[in-house]
């Protein structure tokens, strides 16, 4: 069967929108598809152009946002950033591996000027006379040594050991004389944990010719400032006869003790435990290098003794669990300490192998040859370097840096043993006067020549190294004199941190000097804590960072005349000495320029500022260490900071970046950099430290202590106060702090911008200094109070925040200031509870730390005290209301300063005292005060856009309104406790509830009313909202109905309840058309209700407006019904794929789609011709050819569907039912149900496809059932009879004639039953009679012919 479709595009669509995607399984044959595709392309192009425009606008807005953000950074945040950048910069100080790399070097600056000396001798403590008295009695041997970390020296004379505090002018001797054998070695080590009582903090290991004995040592602070030690007999010893022990070393982390003797290179361990066990004594010795029988037998020699290799030095690296030994043949052995108590020899490095490694670096030096010897080794811990493990010093003064490696790279894990050791770097001695130029090597990596043949350190007897690189070499220049010449050097930290040439690798720069000790050195030790600026290699050696934070390193050297103490000079000390010894203004200028040249202007400014603030120290003539407070030195330092502080730099390369304002393109001056660096060094130890530290006692109690000592906090505060005073006194001379008058000296706009940027940066730092001073003062006050009670009184959330609060957060963040205020309130509340005078406590806090306790805080505390008095008096007392009113008056004075926690506390107390009206007043005042500009209301009026900054204002106001809601709930609950009226009189409780209701109802705060209605709905009290008579209700519901369907439903219900039916219909119509997630049935329901409301009349309603709304609702309802039919049909459509079906249902079961979409996308491609006809009707599409063609397709489709069905109605029944059903829906529309077209169409169908099937009158019966007038049916049949159209020609005309007879008979019977005339009139009757006469001649069936004759006779009889 051929199917026909309309040949023209569908006009008159209900809503003109571009078509959506087609229904995939069926191809549309609609002729306007091309035009729709063009429209779609135009729309897509338009969207692209719009997106580009929005993108450009977004970039512009983003740039503007960046610009405003950069300009609006608070000063305290800007200063904190500068300090953090300074701390970060100093934490990136190069690690040892970065400047002691593969290769050689010889860079020293050996100074002869006392001002630039890296070390200075502070004092020489002579050996007490009592020691000399004992020494004179010596018979066998005497050895000496240092316990420098305890400021003690020792001497072993024969079998006696004596200790004394060398810093004391007349020390007491602590002796050990309880054994008879000659002492051969002494070592102080740390004990293994858990073996001895806590008082024993060290073990004194004493080796004699017969035994190794350990003695307990305790230390207590001495009255003169040092430490007094005491010895305890532990009764622990092991025999070592024949070993001649001379080397002892201990592990600080494990407490293990190792030793060796003069006759072998074996390594023994002295093991000890608390109690004896089976097969194991309390203490014994273990040979870790030789196993078996020899472990327990001493070395016995017969005849002439051969030259054996022996251990001359033993050192420990606990960070890597390695033990190194140096033998008399310059062989270095590495042992790995295993976790199970073992000790494995893992590396043996003979001298020849070491020389071979060095030979790959240089072959032009006589200093590295087989004739030299390694005189000492020093361990370099994992905290200081990753690759480098060991430094070996040679007799020629060379330092050989070695790294241990494993099979997978550089050894770094303490659990796995290294497998080899390689030379990493060789540092040659400094140049001497005899060195020739031919002995210098120029490496590829740097331009300075390297001297590889200097003999300045030849005859080095011993050497040692202390972190972060202090090197001491003791040289015997004259064998006859018996005295040592000391060469001491240290890293030039400032040059290593900031090399002059940033493009080249950092060089190992050192400052050095020569000292004549005048005697022979016996021992050397570090008298202070081992240096460590950080716990990792990066930043470890930064002495600049800690020069104001940690004690300066001191090294004690024991000679046969006394103990010499060397002090490491800080950069600030060197600069102060240079200023003191500079020699006038010209010399001063030269020294400052030298500093700038070597260390940069920023470091120079920082150092000068430190000197000006009194941070420099020097040794006085009487060997005391004192601050340099000479007026000349301080003045010179002040001038250096001011005059050599540099200028801000405008970054012209960034001028093309228009997103940044000009002031942000300025780099502050070195003076600013120096100031921020100095501040960071002062606060370094506290900046990231927590303010409090909580500890639990064994009984479960809480102890709160400071992570930083109070003395340290006071020291930092004093230093910052001096800095503040210095800046305040000299601000008129400092560019950037001088004030507006400095602008008179600028010459260009660029200079003006630079000056503004410099002022902004320096002013921020000044503010930060004030904040830190106040913050430290607050912490000191906090710890003066009962801090445990104060912290425990805080809320859990606040307490956790306080626990995590650092000093940086306290001094630089809004949260820190708020937490400080919370702590102040807790202190005051505790004092209130204890009965103390609140004003006295608050005033004291305000004086010491005003930013944490302001004048408003004092008023708040006073008002809180009134609330407390009211609570004590009771709610029924007359004085209670006076106290509450006075507290409310005070609270209203400082509404803006009330925190939310304080407001909550006030409301809780007010409600408990039934002060409802005051509670509501205070909350509404607080909300209004927090948003004076009405930003929250404008945010609401603009639809509450997400991500808007004004939401913060609304959020805070809502927190205040939540408290009002709590008050209202409390008022409602109180109704159940006491009535409003008794005997017709208002009760006190009722009056208080009325006051509260009046505050709520009379409030003109639209934001509050809006939030109140929201709360009603959240509490499922929509009935309460519908009862409210307020202009804000409709405004609220109209505003919220655009994004919430529940509010829209309330809006039309509110209109209906108030008789505004037309407005209700408009809301329901809008809901049916809305973007809300609604099903199609829900939208149809809204349209049905809207039609009902729009049909309701009111006298005051304009008729034309009602008709317009009603017409729009009715039209949209027709479209919705068509879409509903389409949806139901597609749900059971078998031609739709399973993955496509949910999408189709989702598209149709939602918004009401335009008729164009329904027709082009669904109905026409799916051959739903009945729905197409309904769409024609709804769209008022009056093209007869389209209608006729669609009806034809509909009939053919119904016929085909019936034929394909295996069971069900006959094709003619399917066609008849289809026409009958659609006719009923169309209401016999003349355009959409053209009887003149449909009746011939059906007759042809019946003749061609259903001949002799079904009743012969089924076609005419369709129209009779639809109550089509007989006149219309008769007229169509009459035309068909006379037109003689195929297939009803000649003899086939009888089929039309049969229908004419049938319809005429039915018409006749119907007309005679009524009161009218037959066929509606005599003329019609005559025409019918004549037509019957003609029909009888068309070869009718016998039955119809007889019926026709009888009917004609009856008509004729009726006409007579």
């Amino acid at each position: 069967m051929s199917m026909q479709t309309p040949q023209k595009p569908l006009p008159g669509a209900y809503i003109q929108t571009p078509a959506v995607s087609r229904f995939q399984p069926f191809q549309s044959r609609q002729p306007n598809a091309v035009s729709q595709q063009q429209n779609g392309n135009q729309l897509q192009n338009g969207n692209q152009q719009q997106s580009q425009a929005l993108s450009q606008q977004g970039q512009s807005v983003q740039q503007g946002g960046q610009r405003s953000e950069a300009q609006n950074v608070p000063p305290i945040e800007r200063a904190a950033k500068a300090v953090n950048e300074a701390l970060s910069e100093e934490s990136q100080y190069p690690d040892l591996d970065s400047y002691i790399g593969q290769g050689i070097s010889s860079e020293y600056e050996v100074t002869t000027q006392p001002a630039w000396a890296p070390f200075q001798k502070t004092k020489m403590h002579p050996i007490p006379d009592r020691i000399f008295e004992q020494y004179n009695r010596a018979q066998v041997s005497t050895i000496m040594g240092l316990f420098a970390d305890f400021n003690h020296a020792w001497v072993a004379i024969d079998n006696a050991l004596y200790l004394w505090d060398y810093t004391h002018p007349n020390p007491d001797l602590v002796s050990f004389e309880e054994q008879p054998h000659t002492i051969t070695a002494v070592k102080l080590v740390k004990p293994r944990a858990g073996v001895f009582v806590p008082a024993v903090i060290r073990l004194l290991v004493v080796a004699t010719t017969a035994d190794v004995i350990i003695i307990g040592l305790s230390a207590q602070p001495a009255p003169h400032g040092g430490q007094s030690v005491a010895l305890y007999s532990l009764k622990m010893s092991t025999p070592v006869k024949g070993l001649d022990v001379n080397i002892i070393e201990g592990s600080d982390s494990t407490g293990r003790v190792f030793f060796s003797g003069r006759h072998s290179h074996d390594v023994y361990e002295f093991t000890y435990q608390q109690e004896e066990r089976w097969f194991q004594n309390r203490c014994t010795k273990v040979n870790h290098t030789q196993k078996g029988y020899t472990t327990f037998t001493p070395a016995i020699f017969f005849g002439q003794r051969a030259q054996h290799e022996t251990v001359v030095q033993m050192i420990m690296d606990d960070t890597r669990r390695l033990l190194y030994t140096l033998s008399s043949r310059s062989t270095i052995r590495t042992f790995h300490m295993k976790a199970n108590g073992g000790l494995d020899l893992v590396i043996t490095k003979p001298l020849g192998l070491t020389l071979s490694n060095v030979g790959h670096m240089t072959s032009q030096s006589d200093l590295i040859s087989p004739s030299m010897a390694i005189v000492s080794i020093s361990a370099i811990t994992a905290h200081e370097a990753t690759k480098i493990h060991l430094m070996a010093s040679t007799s020629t003064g060379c330092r050989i840096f070695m790294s241990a490696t494993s099979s997978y790279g550089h050894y770094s894990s303490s659990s796995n043993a290294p497998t080899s050791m390689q030379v990493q770097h060789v540092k040659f001695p400094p140049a001497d006067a005899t060195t020739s130029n031919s002995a210098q090597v120029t490496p590829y990596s740097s331009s300075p020549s390297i001297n590889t043949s200097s003999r300045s350190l030849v005859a080095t007897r011993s050497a040692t190294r202390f972190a972060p690189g202090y090197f001491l070499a003791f040289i015997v220049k004259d064998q006859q004199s018996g005295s040592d010449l000391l060469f001491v050097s240290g890293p030039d930290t400032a040059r290593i941190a900031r090399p002059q040439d940033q493009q080249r690798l950092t060089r190992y720069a050192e400052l050095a000097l020569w000292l004549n000790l005048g005697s022979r050195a016996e021992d050397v030790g570090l008298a202070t804590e081992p240096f460590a600026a950080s716990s990792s290699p990066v930043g470890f050696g930064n002495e600049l960072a800690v020069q104001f934070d940690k004690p300066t390193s001191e090294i004690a050297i024991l000679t046969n005349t006394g103990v010499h103490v060397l002090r490491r000079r800080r950069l600030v000390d060197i600069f102060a000495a240079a200023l003191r010894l500079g020699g006038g203004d010209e010399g001063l200028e030269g020294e400052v320029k030298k500093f700038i040249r070597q260390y940069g202007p920023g470091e120079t400014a920082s150092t000068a500022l430190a000197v000006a603030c009194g941070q420099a120290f020097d040794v006085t003539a009487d060997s005391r260490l004192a601050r340099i407070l000479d007026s000349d030195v301080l003045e010179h330092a002040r001038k250096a900071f001011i005059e050599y502080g540099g200028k801000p730099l405008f970054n012209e390369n960034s001028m093309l970046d228009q997103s940044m304002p000009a002031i942000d393109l300025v780099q502050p001056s070195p003076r600013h950099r120096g100031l921020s660096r100095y501040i960071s060094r002062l606060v370094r130890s506290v900046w990231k430290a927590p303010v409090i530290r909580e500890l639990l006692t064994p009984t479960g109690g809480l102890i709160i202590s400071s992570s930083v000592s109070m003395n340290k906090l006071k020291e930092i505060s004093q230093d910052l106060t001096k800095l503040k005073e210095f800046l305040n006194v000299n601000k008129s001379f400092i560019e950037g702090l001088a004030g507006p008058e400095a602008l008179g000296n600028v010459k260009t706009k660029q200079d003006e911008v630079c000056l503004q940027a410099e002022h902004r940066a320096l002013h921020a730092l000044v503010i930060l200094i004030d904040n830190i001073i106040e913050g430290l003062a607050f912490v000191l006050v906090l710890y003066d109070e009962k801090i445990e009670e104060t912290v425990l009184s805080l809320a859990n959330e606040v307490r956790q925040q306080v626990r995590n609060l650092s000093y940086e957060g306290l001094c630089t963040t809004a949260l820190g200031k708020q937490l400080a205020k919370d702590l102040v309130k807790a202190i005051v509340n505790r004092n209130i509870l204890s009965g103390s005078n609140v004003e006295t406590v608050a005033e004291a806090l305000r004086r010491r730390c005003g930013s944490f306790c302001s004048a408003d805080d004092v008023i708040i505390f006073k008002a809180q005290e009134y609330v407390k008095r009211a609570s004590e008096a009771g709610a029924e007392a007359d004085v209670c209301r006076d106290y509450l009113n006075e507290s409310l008056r005070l609270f209203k004075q400082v509404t803006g300063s009330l925190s939310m926690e304080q407001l909550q506390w006030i409301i809780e107390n007010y409600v408990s005292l039934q002060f409802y009206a005051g509670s509501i007043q205070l909350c509404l005042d607080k909300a209004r005060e927090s948003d004076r500009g009405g930003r929250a209301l404008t945010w609401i009026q603009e639809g509450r856009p997400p991500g808007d900054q004004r939401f913060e204002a609304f959020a805070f106001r809502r927190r205040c309104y939540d408290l009002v809601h709590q008050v209202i709930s409390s008022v409602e609950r109180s109704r159940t406790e006491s009535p409003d009226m008794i005997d017709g009189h208002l009760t006190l409780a009722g009056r208080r509830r009325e006051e509260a209701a009046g505050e709520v109802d009379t409030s003109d705060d639209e934001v509050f009313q809006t939030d109140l209605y929201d709360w009603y709905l959240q509490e499922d009290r929509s009935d309460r909202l519908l009862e409210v008579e307020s202009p804000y209700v409709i405004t609220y519901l109209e505003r919220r109905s655009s994004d919430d369907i529940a509010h829209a439903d309330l809006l039309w219900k509110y209109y209906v309840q108030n008789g505004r039916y037309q407005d209700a219909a408009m809301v329901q119509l809008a809901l049916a058309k809305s973007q809300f997630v609604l099903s199609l049935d829900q939208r149809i329901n809204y349209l049905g209700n809207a039609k009902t409301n729009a049909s309701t009349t009111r006298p005051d309603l304009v008729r034309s407006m009602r008709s317009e709304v009603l017409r729009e609702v009715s039209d949209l309802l027709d479209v919705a019904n068509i879409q509903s039919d389409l949806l139901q049909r597609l749900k059971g459509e078998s031609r739709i794929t399973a993955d496509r079906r949910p999408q189709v249902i989702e598209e149709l079961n939602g918004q009401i789609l335009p008729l164009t979409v329904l027709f082009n996308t669904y109905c026409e491609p799916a051959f739903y011709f009945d729905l197409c006809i309904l769409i024609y009707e709804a769209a008022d599409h009056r093209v007869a050819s389209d209608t006729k063609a669609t009806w034809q397709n509909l009939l053919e489709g119904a016929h085909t569907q019936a034929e394909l069905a295996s069971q069900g109605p006959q094709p003619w029944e399917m066609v008849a039912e289809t026409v009958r059903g659609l006719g009923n829906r169309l209401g016999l529309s003349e355009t959409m149900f053209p009887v003149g077209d449909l009746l011939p169409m059906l007759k042809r169908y019946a003749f061609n496809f259903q001949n002799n099937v079904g009743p012969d009158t089924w076609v005419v019966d369709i129209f009779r059932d639809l109550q089509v007038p007989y006149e219309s049916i008769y007229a169509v049949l009459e035309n068909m009879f006379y037109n003689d159209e195929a297939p009803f020609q000649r003899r086939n005309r009888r089929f039309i004639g049969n229908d004419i007879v049938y319809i005429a008979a039915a018409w006749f019977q119907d007309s005679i039953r009524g009161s009218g005339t037959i066929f509606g009139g005599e003329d019609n009757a005559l025409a019918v009679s004549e037509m019957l006469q003609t029909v009888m001649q068309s070869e009718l069936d016998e039955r119809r012919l007889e019926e026709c004759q009888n009917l004609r006779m009856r008509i004729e009889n009726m006409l007579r």
Side-chain angles (χ1 to χ4, degrees), residues 690-755:
V691 174
I692 70 169
R693 181 172 54 191
E694 293 187 0
L695 299 174
L696 292 177
T697 63
T699 60
L702 178 66
I703 297 177
I704 296 180
S705 61
S706 175
S707 60
V708 183
S709 68
M710 295 296 104
N711 290 334
K712 184 64 177 178
L713 294 180
K714 293 176 182 178
E715 179 184 334
I716 296 173
S717 179
Q718 292 171 359
D719 291 339
L720 287 172
T721 302
K722 292 178 183 178
L723 175 60
K724 175 183 176 181
E725 293 172 354
F726 173 83
L727 295 175
N728 186 51
V729 170
N730 296 281
K731 63 181 180 181
S732 59
F733 306 104
I734 300 174
E735 184 176 348
L737 291 179
E741 58 272 12
L743 292 173
N745 299 326
V746 300
K747 298 180 180 179
T748 64
K749 180 63 176 178
Q750 180 172 315
D751 292 343
E752 181 180 350
V753 172
C754 289
L755 183 60

Side-chain angles (χ1 to χ4, degrees), residues 1094-1162:
S1095 302
T1096 305
T1097 59
R1098 278 182 53 183
D1100 58 341
L1101 187 64
V1102 179
R1103 182 183 182 88
S1104 60
M1105 180 182 298
R1106 182 176 66 87
S1107 300
E1108 181 179 352
V1109 174
L1110 182 61
R1111 182 171 60 254
E1112 183 177 358
V1113 171
S1114 300
D1115 291 344
L1116 190 58
L1117 184 60
D1118 291 339
V1119 178
N1121 287 326
I1122 294 172
Q1123 184 171 332
S1124 179
D1125 292 341
L1126 176 61
L1127 173 63
Q1128 299 304 320
R1129 192 168 301 179
L1130 288 177
K1131 285 181 179 180
E1133 179 60 70
S1134 60
R1135 294 173 291 176
I1136 304 179
T1137 59
D1139 56 343
R1140 170 67 173 156
R1141 190 184 306 278
Q1143 181 182 354
V1144 172
I1145 293 176
E1146 182 181 358
E1147 291 175 355
L1148 291 174
N1149 194 25
Q1151 293 187 11
I1152 301 175
L1153 301 177
L1155 289 173
T1156 304
V1157 175
L1158 296 177
F1159 184 86
N1160 291 331
T1161 305
Y1162 298 104

